[in-house]
Amino acid sequence: MALNPMEQFEVKPVSWAQHPLFHIGHSPIYFTNQALWMIVVFVSLSLFLTLAVSKGRVVPTRMQSLAELSYEFVGGMIDMTSGPAGFRFFPLIFTIFMFILFCNGFGLLPIAFTVTSQIAITFFLTAVVILTAIVTGFVKHGFGFLKLFVIKAPVVIMVPMVLLEFISFCARPISLSMRLFANMLAGHTMLKVMAGFVISLGAAGGAYTLLAAAPEALIVGLTALEFLVAFLQAYVFAILSCIYLSEALHLHDNH
Amino acid sequence: MDVQAAKQIGAGLATIAFVGSGIGIGVVFGNYISGALRNPGAASTQFTNLYIGYALCELQGLFGLLIALILLFT
């Protein structure tokens, strides 16, 4: 029963499309399980948001209030971190939040592939946020954007602080993408390791079979925890994106 | 000791980073709750700061995981 808990993260062509779709240079491009689940997430997200508000009732239906709730949630998040000026980034933050939330949520289905457990995906999302922040900063403040690294302090403190701020700025893309990727990876690996315990105990026979109920119960609890983590990581990603964009807009001034 | 064995031991040692991560998350949430019990009115305004603190603490542990993954898969 040596099941590999990391096997679920393997990106491979889907079973009904084993041939490459086309070639870029000499690299074959496949229709992978990752692409399939991103399409599933995209279609269901679009359908949910479109259908929920298509009628636009004054007294919202259950689905419409879910859509409104997520809209207001992201709106409140932006308002709290960067004030009214931040609302030009509402489409970006809302898209990123809902996409990550749906990817994490769909990833918890037993058959599904977790799109956000690939660092390529999370790093791309991070790159969009960080590049938007840098471009916004330079467009709005010109080279004054570099004041982001400078704090008002005596020179002895300021010079090392500039260095530290610069390092922390450079670490942001790594930290933002690593957090989401590692959380999804660790959570799903943990579930599969526990599932491995159930199988080996169940196969052992005799009194051990009864013992298999213990890790089974643990899996139920851990799955509930994973739902919390799925939401929390989407929230944390969105709020940190808000803060980075707000810093680019306002530098160190309080808004 | 060959290189592969040393890598495996190193990856195991890298997971010690989660000790600090655990302590940090405990401190963040513990202090939030004690603060929230003293002044429940201000609790909801600090919700964002709570999760920023949580995210930063958790990250320090995840850097350890990153090192473990690099050691195991490169």
Side-chain angles (χ1 to χ4, degrees):
Chain A
M1 288 298 164
L3 298 168
N4 184 1
M6 301 303 268
E7 200 185 329
Q8 55 177 327
F9 302 116
E10 211 173 296
V11 178
K12 51 183 185 292
V14 288
S15 55
W16 35 269
Q18 291 288 351
H19 296 291
L21 293 179
F22 54 89
H23 289 76
I24 294 177
H26 288 289
S27 323
I29 305 297
Y30 289 99
F31 186 68
T32 57
N33 47 2
Q34 176 171 307
L36 175 71
W37 280 100
M38 275 174 91
I39 291 172
V40 169
V41 165
F42 171 72
V43 169
S44 52
L45 186 51
S46 315
L47 275 180
F48 163 61
L49 286 176
T50 317
L51 290 179
V53 293
S54 60
K55 291 274 169 57
R57 291 186 179 87
V58 179
V59 179
T61 56
R62 272 172 289 187
M63 210 151 127
Q64 193 186 333
S65 34
L66 263 182
E68 283 175 3
L69 202 67
S70 50
Y71 191 92
E72 278 166 13
F73 183 70
V74 177
M77 197 149 68
I78 293 174
D79 193 42
M80 204 175 356
T81 50
S82 53
F87 271 92
R88 71 181 75 171
F89 296 119
F90 183 86
L92 177 70
I93 302 290
F94 187 70
T95 311
I96 285 178
F97 174 73
M98 292 306 274
F99 180 73
I100 293 175
L101 187 64
F102 267 61
C103 283
N104 293 352
F106 270 99
L108 283 168
L109 291 176
I111 48 161
F113 176 85
T114 320
V115 180
T116 39
S117 69
Q118 301 297 320
I119 193 134
I121 303 293
T122 58
F123 193 78
F124 181 76
L125 290 172
T126 309
V128 171
V129 172
I130 299 287
L131 288 178
T132 313
I134 291 174
V135 169
T136 315
F138 275 116
V139 167
K140 195 157 189 289
H141 304 285
F143 280 98
F145 179 53
L146 296 177
K147 272 190 285 194
L148 186 68
F149 301 125
V150 184
I151 53 162
K152 285 193 188 73
V155 179
V156 191
I157 305 173
M158 203 184 75
V159 173
M161 279 307 285
V162 168
L163 200 66
L164 278 180
E165 288 272 339
F166 184 70
I167 293 172
S168 110
F169 189 83
C170 293
R172 275 175 190 181
I174 304 167
S175 69
L176 199 56
S177 55
M178 259 301 288
R179 182 179 298 115
L180 181 57
F181 150 75
N183 267 289
M184 287 300 117
L185 186 89
H188 285 254
T189 313
M190 189 165 62
L191 284 181
K192 287 295 189 295
V193 169
M194 288 293 155
F197 289 164
V198 176
I199 292 170
S200 3
L201 277 173
Y208 289 115
T209 314
L210 293 174
L211 265 181
E216 179 81 56
L218 205 57
I219 289 176
V220 176
L222 284 176
T223 309
L225 184 74
E226 282 307 301
F227 272 102
L228 175 73
V229 170
F231 171 74
L232 203 62
Q233 289 308 317
Y235 174 69
V236 164
F237 195 100
I239 198 115
L240 286 175
S241 310
C242 282
I243 289 168
Y244 297 161
L245 290 171
S246 146
E247 265 192 6
L249 275 178
H250 305 294
L251 294 183
H252 287 306
D253 314 329
N254 287 326
H255 47 82
Chain B
M1 182 162 35
D2 63 336
V3 175
Q4 196 56 40
K7 274 186 174 179
Q8 303 266 345
I9 293 171
L13 287 177
T15 57
I16 295 175
F18 284 98
V19 173
S21 185
I23 294 171
I25 293 172
V27 168
V28 166
F29 278 95
N31 282 337
Y32 173 75
I33 289 171
S34 65
L37 286 174
R38 279 163 206 265
N39 186 1
S44 58
T45 60
Q46 297 307 310
F47 207 65
T48 313
N49 288 341
L50 169 70
Y51 279 105
I52 293 167
Y54 159 77
L56 291 177
C57 282
E58 193 191 26
L59 180 71
Q60 308 310 318
L62 293 178
F63 279 140
L65 179 68
L66 176 70
I67 291 168
L69 288 178
I70 290 171
L71 283 174
L72 285 177
F73 294 111
T74 53

